[in-house]
Amino acid sequence: MAESRSRYDEKLALVLRTAASIFADKGYHQASIRDLSRATGLSLSGLYYCFSSKEELLFLTPDHCFGPILENLEELLTGVDEPRERLRLLIDNHLRFFVGNMKEMKVLSHEAESLSGEYRRRVNAKKKRYTDLCMEILAALSPAESTAALRTATFSLFGMMNWIYNWYRPDRDEPVDRLADRMCRLFLEGYLAGGALEPRPRDAGGSTDESGPSIWRR
Amino acid sequence: MAESRSRYDEKLALVLRTAASIFADKGYHQASIRDLSRATGLSLSGLYYCFSSKEELLFLTPDHCFGPILENLEELLTGVDEPRERLRLLIDNHLRFFVGNMKEMKVLSHEAESLSGEYRRRVNAKKKRYTDLCMEILAALSPAESTAALRTATFSLFGMMNWIYNWYRPDRDEPVDRLADRMCRLFLEGYLAGGALEPRPRDAGGSTDESGPSIWRR
């Protein structure tokens, strides 16, 4: 019984990894269950034993990503109270997972809107839990921040980290621990130096006057 | 003659803006020229007067985005030698354009790989020119940086800025000039504080030992 459970988990892991790769390369809407059958060597009925629809399969990808990221982070943070160290653990955990699961992260970033209804609600709930945790850590680091400052800082950090699927190549770039170290210091030094605090009044006559956005609206 | 040129430009601008909106909402592969015809009220032959294929249409979006971003930035930077001010202008210019063209930027971020051959080469050449310009500014700010440090810093900045299409809502969030000010200081303070410099040796016994990536590879 235990063996068959573990065999099922292995099969599901293979299916999810292969599906993420196909979704990342072809896009979710272009990909078919037949592609997945060819790539895994599993029959259609074997596949539909693991999931009930293509949308459920798409849901399982972020669900199986955010699950481990969150659980692992919560475990790492247990007993760690120092906010800098908590932030370092979040960044390190996030980047290690991303680098180890680049295709999944690309699907997660690109196809979030392809989910609907209950699937979408469940993925968004996990995303929100993760975002709230990051905001809590940043608020503890600098308790006087406004909500706008915290929001910009949190999503700037997520942007820095998540964007790596566009440029980071594990075989050519630095190892992930050095990347995490650099990004952590880059963000932390800027944040602690008041980088996200309320902006100073703009210089008069600067090039950033209020008319900017309308010029840029093409 | 001048009038007909300007009418053509207006029509092309309408077509590109509508196409970006459809591509952003449905995805490039799912979208059809018939969708575009319905949304613009233009006939198929009227549309094919503006572009020769769906792929050319997809190419025109980044081409019409990177063109103005680059040209406007190069104009803003003329006569400005101080690297901090040059970086501030780059961030301000980038975010203003993004906020004014969120759908286009989403297409640009998601569909880059849907282009092939000559189209892809031309878009990549503009991206490279823009990336090089950013790296030059960062190198001038801190001349001792290694290539790895510059690469991480540049793409961290792009990630911070580009990620806004996932969270920034012009009607609910701060105006773009305040957003630009915050992001500029957040990045600049971190970068100037040596945030992207060579990492210090890791603490012994830390939680970021080398075994991390293999644990995370699912």
Side-chain angles (χ1 to χ4, degrees), chain B residues 2-121:
Chain B
E3 192 191 58
S4 91
R5 178 76 218 162
S6 118
R7 219 178 288 159
Y8 171 81
D9 286 344
E10 267 173 38
K11 192 165 133 187
L12 183 62
L14 168 73
V15 166
L16 289 180
R17 174 155 291 274
T18 313
S21 178
I22 296 172
F23 290 165
D25 294 340
K26 297 185 84 168
Y28 167 71
H29 291 289
Q30 295 299 103
S32 73
I33 302 301
R34 285 192 187 278
D35 294 329
L36 186 60
S37 168
R38 262 191 299 273
T40 55
L42 295 167
S43 66
L44 291 180
S45 63
L47 287 172
Y48 281 115
Y49 180 69
C50 296
F51 54 86
S52 60
S53 66
K54 197 169 92 167
E55 196 183 359
E56 191 188 9
L57 185 59
L58 181 64
F59 159 71
L60 288 170
T61 303
D63 201 55
H64 275 65
C65 287
F66 277 115
I69 289 180
L70 260 170
E71 284 157 28
N72 205 58
L73 180 61
E74 282 165 351
E75 203 174 301
L76 288 170
L77 292 179
T78 306
V80 180
D81 296 323
E82 213 280 300
R84 283 179 199 231
E85 180 60 11
R86 287 169 70 82
L87 182 68
R88 197 185 65 76
L89 290 170
L90 181 143
I91 294 174
D92 206 84
N93 180 65
H94 190 108
L95 287 174
R96 278 175 195 276
F97 189 85
F98 262 52
V99 168
N101 300 272
M102 298 273 264
K103 297 271 188 183
E104 285 79 355
M105 299 335 272
K106 187 178 164 190
V107 173
L108 217 135
S109 298
H110 283 196
E111 303 289 359
E113 289 166 20
S114 301
L115 286 175
S116 60
E118 178 63 11
Y119 291 136
R120 189 168 189 149
R121 201 194 57 71

Side-chain angles (χ1 to χ4, degrees), chain A residues 85-211:
Chain A
E85 180 60 12
R86 286 169 70 83
L87 183 68
R88 198 184 64 75
L89 290 170
L90 181 142
I91 294 174
D92 205 84
N93 181 64
H94 190 108
L95 287 174
R96 278 175 196 276
F97 189 85
F98 262 52
V99 168
N101 299 273
M102 299 272 263
K103 297 272 187 181
E104 284 79 354
M105 299 335 271
K106 187 178 164 189
V107 172
L108 217 137
S109 298
H110 282 196
E111 304 288 0
E113 290 167 19
S114 302
L115 285 176
S116 60
E118 177 63 12
Y119 291 137
R120 188 167 190 150
R121 202 193 57 71
R122 282 168 65 184
V123 169
N124 284 347
K126 284 201 177 164
K127 274 190 189 170
K128 189 175 178 313
R129 209 172 116 206
Y130 191 57
T131 308
D132 288 348
L133 186 54
C134 185
M135 278 197 189
E136 274 168 42
I137 294 175
L138 293 185
L141 269 165
S142 180
E145 299 293 1
S146 67
T147 307
L150 275 179
R151 198 168 142 80
T152 302
T154 300
F155 289 111
S156 292
L157 177 60
F158 285 162
M160 280 171 68
M161 296 191 295
N162 295 347
W163 200 246
I164 62 164
Y165 74 82
N166 281 301
W167 67 274
Y168 181 75
R169 298 287 167 270
D171 51 333
R172 279 190 292 161
D173 285 302
E174 297 186 301
V176 66
D177 63 321
R178 286 177 73 91
L179 177 76
D181 206 17
R182 264 191 226 283
M183 279 200 182
C184 184
R185 284 180 300 118
L186 183 62
F187 178 82
L188 192 59
E189 300 281 0
Y191 184 70
L192 291 177
L197 286 170
E198 294 315 311
R200 294 178 293 257
R202 308 303 299 250
D203 301 347
S207 54
T208 55
D209 58 281
E210 292 297 334
S211 62

Side-chain angles (χ1 to χ4, degrees), chain A residues 35-56:
Chain A
D35 294 330
L36 186 59
S37 167
R38 259 191 299 274
T40 55
L42 295 167
S43 66
L44 291 179
S45 63
L47 288 172
Y48 281 114
Y49 180 69
C50 297
F51 54 86
S52 61
S53 66
K54 196 169 93 168
E55 196 182 358
E56 190 188 10

